[in-house]
Every structure is written in C-alpha cells, then in structure tokens.
Amino acid sequence: MKPTLAIKRFVFVCITLSPGLAFAERLSMTPDFLDYFSVNPPRTTLPSASERELLERYKPRFFAAEGQTLFIDFYRDYIANGRLYDKHGALISEDVSPETLNKFTYNPDVCFFYDGDGDTSRQVAYGRVDYDNVGLEDAKTWTFLTYNLTFAYSGLPVGMPGWKSIMLNLLGDTRHWRSPDQYVSATIALNDQQRPIAITLQQHDYLTTYILNQDLELPEDGRIRLDIAKYSNELYPHSPSEERRRAATALTPDDAEYLIYGADRPFLGGMDVTHGQIEIEYTLTALPPDDAFYQFKGELGESHMLWNRDAPSGADYSTAPALKPKSIAMAAGYRREDDQEYLQLLQDWRDSGYGKLPDHVKTAFMRRFTEDLPAP
C-alpha cells in the first residue's frame, strides 16, 4: 500500500519542523524541575537493610510473551555499550563506566549514544524507597517502593490503525521509537502499618493507580503480578491470555477520556498488547537516588529530530514536576470507570498552564483516592 499525498505532506511538515523541537530546552532543565529538586534534593545513600528487606519482600513478578524483548542492566548492558559526547560532538569517552557517567550527571549538554543491540541474558530491576504523607487532615507517613526496568528501546503501542502505522513508520521504526526506556516503573504504596495498599504504574507518559484487592489482586505472597507490553514495555496487571489495553501518551483530559471511555482516540493512542506467557526471573539491585540513572540531565540516547522521539534524561524526569511527590502521583493516577470529575480536574490543571497543581485539584485527587480505600 503506497502512502497517500496527505501522509507525504504530514511527513514533510514533521521533518521540516523537527529540528527546532530537537534543540529545545531539556525537560530536565525546566524551571519547575529545577525548583522541585532544589527543595527536594535526592537522597545520596543506598537503601538501609530494613528498606532492602521490604524491596525484596514485595518485588513484583513480571511476565512476558514468548520471544519478547526483555529488560536489561542499565550499566552493564546499556551504558557499557556506547559513547559519551559533549554538545559540540566531541568525544568524551568510548568506554563509559558508571563512574564516568556520574561525573556528568548534572550537565544537560552531554549525550550518550548506544551501540548495542538490546540483547542480554541478564534481567535487572532497580529498587528504591521513598516516604511521603498521605491523606488530608490526618495525614500519615507511607512508604513507597519503586521498581524501575530498563529497555534498550521502546516502541509505540502495537494496536494502531493501519494508515497511522504506515505514516509513523515513514518517520521512524515504531518498534524502536525511543532509546533507552528506563521510565518503566511500578510503585507499591505501603500504609503507616507497612501494609500494601496500592500500586502506581508508569504507562507511557501518564500514571495509573490500582487499589489492591479492589482493582488488582494482592497475592498471598505479597508479590503483585504484572505483564510487560510488547514493544512499548509498559506494565499492566497480569493475564495469562493475550490482552489489548487502551494506551495514550500523556495525562491530558483528551488522553484520559480515551483511557476511560475509549472514545476520540488521540493521535498516538492505540492498544498495548500483553501476553503473560512466561515469568521473567530477575535480579533486584539498588542505586542511590542521586545516581545518574535517576538524575542524569543530558540525553541518554540518540535524538532523532522528530516529534516525540527525543532521548530521555534520568528516570526522575518521567513525569511532570507537579506529580513528583509519591502521594500526589498515586492520587493523580487513580481513575474510576465512569469519571467525569477526573476529566474536569485534569481540565482545570490544563487551564492553569500545567505548572503546579491548583490546590483544589490536589485536594480532590487525594480525597477521591482516600475515600475509596477499603476500611482498615
């Protein structure tokens, strides 16, 4: 099937406009992110023995389809197979170690180019522990266990209309749309009694929260089962059969309406496909939260000068600064089946300019989440 004239024109416009986008300010250097981390500097130490025990006790079980590309070790499989450059194209290192990368953590003008093929026999997840207050008048301190997976490449959702797949493949490989993908994460919330209450999944550039034993089963062993979507790598509740799940690109009113109701699919919206055929054995390790894996301000992959294909920075830049507090991320990711109120709250945030969450939006997100929690 040959591309239509309209598709060709679209490609021309994207390629013509893309260089200006590619050299825009790094997301990691925007004022909101700079303000957030100046007030909330990342922890510099590894998890304690008791925190490590919690991470091990509740680490999720991951499933994938047979033959599916799996996650890798960020440093041994990704960073060790590439080169580091400055913004002028001068080579900094072609033998990049964790120590080398960390020397340039806070330099936004450094770029990493990956030379590997994404293949490995070793699966590694990175765990960290954070604390935040949950609730309104009677807030309690909860513990948040976050597990990050790294993939050499991420793709767009599989289930897109044929004409759209053809058009996007003219712009780049939709299965290798962006590199790397270390934003894939699951955050398990433990209440003040250290009991698992909810899990928040990073899915594309938005969050989805499930209340345990209400929206998602908590197994007796405490290890939640999650499936990895084909090509996009996003995490979803486990099913041994093939499942198609609505996927969008951001936490906007339009994208959320598609996620909730399935109507008016956004341009890059589609279906993520999961098939939890086999369980993936993996090693859990930890890095200090100020490590380059989380905090690197430059580019960790090659930017392709195309819309939505910019290379990511560290894993801490996976969501808007307003949603960085773990309690807010959890509450903002919580949606109900028929949820016009949620869409209105997102509209109010958009109307405010997508900066800080308006107070009434933040309060409503937390109220909606806590009022739906099961009785203790």
Side-chain angles (χ1 to χ4, degrees):
M1 182 181 200
K2 294 183 179 180
T4 66
L5 181 59
I7 292 175
K8 289 180 179 177
R9 285 176 176 167
F10 176 86
V11 173
F12 174 78
V13 170
C14 286
I15 293 175
T16 302
L17 296 179
S18 62
L21 296 175
F23 294 101
E25 181 182 29
R26 297 293 302 154
L27 179 64
S28 60
M29 295 300 293
T30 55
D32 286 344
F33 263 125
L34 294 174
D35 289 347
Y36 177 81
F37 284 114
S38 69
V39 176
N40 303 279
R43 174 174 161 180
T44 60
T45 57
L46 289 165
S48 66
S50 59
E51 290 172 332
R52 183 61 187 250
E53 192 277 330
L54 286 175
L55 286 168
E56 287 285 352
R57 184 194 311 174
Y58 293 115
K59 68 179 185 180
R61 295 172 62 185
F62 297 114
F63 295 80
E66 293 180 358
Q68 185 173 334
T69 301
L70 302 178
F71 51 101
I72 61 177
D73 185 317
F74 176 75
Y75 279 115
R76 291 180 61 182
D77 299 320
Y78 187 76
I79 295 301
N81 290 290
R83 297 156 286 136
L84 202 61
Y85 291 88
D86 67 18
K87 67 177 180 179
H88 303 293
L91 179 67
I92 296 173
S93 175
E94 56 185 359
D95 183 18
V96 188
S97 66
E99 293 75 20
T100 302
L101 191 69
N102 274 272
K103 287 180 182 177
F104 299 94
T105 297
Y106 298 104
N107 187 337
D109 297 323
V110 174
C111 305
F112 178 82
F113 287 78
Y114 177 62
D115 295 323
D117 57 11
D119 190 26
T120 181
S121 59
R122 174 183 52 244
Q123 277 65 60
V124 173
Y126 292 91
R128 64 181 282 177
V129 181
D130 297 278
Y131 302 92
D132 202 3
N133 294 329
V134 175
L136 296 172
E137 292 82 8
D138 187 25
K140 304 290 185 182
T141 300
W142 283 24
T143 303
F144 294 85
L145 312 176
T146 298
Y147 304 83
N148 278 87
L149 308 183
T150 299
F151 295 81
Y153 302 98
S154 66
L156 296 175
V158 174
M160 283 189 171
W163 68 268
K164 194 178 293 185
S165 295
I166 293 171
M167 179 170 59
L168 290 168
N169 270 299
L170 291 172
L171 301 177
D173 187 343
T174 56
R175 297 185 180 185
H176 288 180
W177 194 251
R178 186 182 295 177
S179 175
D181 186 5
Q182 82 280 32
Y183 290 172
V184 178
S185 69
T187 298
I188 299 171
L190 311 180
N191 67 5
D192 58 314
Q193 303 300 313
Q194 300 263 291
R195 185 165 61 90
I197 296 296
I199 184 169
T200 300
L201 304 179
Q202 174 92 33
Q203 294 165 337
H204 300 279
D205 291 333
Y206 56 90
L207 304 164
T208 302
T209 295
Y210 304 85
I211 294 176
L212 298 176
N213 288 332
Q214 182 169 297
D215 306 316
L216 178 63
E217 176 191 5
L218 176 66
E220 290 186 6
D221 64 2
R223 298 187 61 195
I224 299 167
R225 299 177 181 131
L226 300 171
D227 288 346
I228 303 169
K230 298 177 182 179
Y231 307 123
S232 74
N233 311 321
E234 309 305 338
L235 299 176
Y236 292 91
H238 171 61
S239 171
S241 59
E242 184 172 277
E243 301 287 344
R244 297 172 65 85
R245 307 161 189 272
R246 287 194 288 269
T249 55
L251 197 64
T252 67
D254 297 335
D255 285 26
E257 185 172 19
Y258 172 66
L259 293 173
I260 295 170
Y261 297 106
D264 297 325
R265 175 162 35 192
F267 181 74
L268 288 182
M271 290 289 193
D272 272 335
V273 177
T274 63
H275 195 175
Q277 291 177 297
I278 55 174
E279 183 171 1
I280 310 304
E281 298 298 328
Y282 68 97
T283 300
L284 179 66
T285 190
L287 297 165
D290 69 337
D291 187 90
F293 173 80
Y294 296 108
Q295 279 284 307
F296 193 76
K297 290 185 178 295
E299 296 180 342
L300 285 170
E302 183 178 0
S303 283
H304 296 274
M305 292 190 180
L306 292 171
W307 170 57
N308 199 47
R309 296 194 72 192
D310 54 315
S313 298
D316 273 347
Y317 301 100
S318 61
T319 192
L323 304 181
K324 287 303 299 176
K326 293 296 184 181
S327 63
I328 300 303
M330 176 181 63
Y334 181 64
R335 299 182 290 275
R336 297 161 176 160
E337 286 187 7
D338 184 1
D339 208 337
Q340 287 297 318
E341 181 189 18
Y342 186 77
L343 298 181
Q344 184 58 55
L345 292 171
L346 292 183
Q347 182 64 51
D348 291 350
W349 186 26
R350 179 160 68 181
D351 291 344
S352 74
Y354 279 133
K356 293 181 179 179
L357 283 177
D359 288 342
H360 78 280
V361 174
K362 186 187 301 184
T363 299
F365 279 153
M366 187 61 67
R367 170 188 55 77
R368 289 158 42 85
F369 173 76
T370 55
E371 71 185 12
D372 280 5
L373 293 176

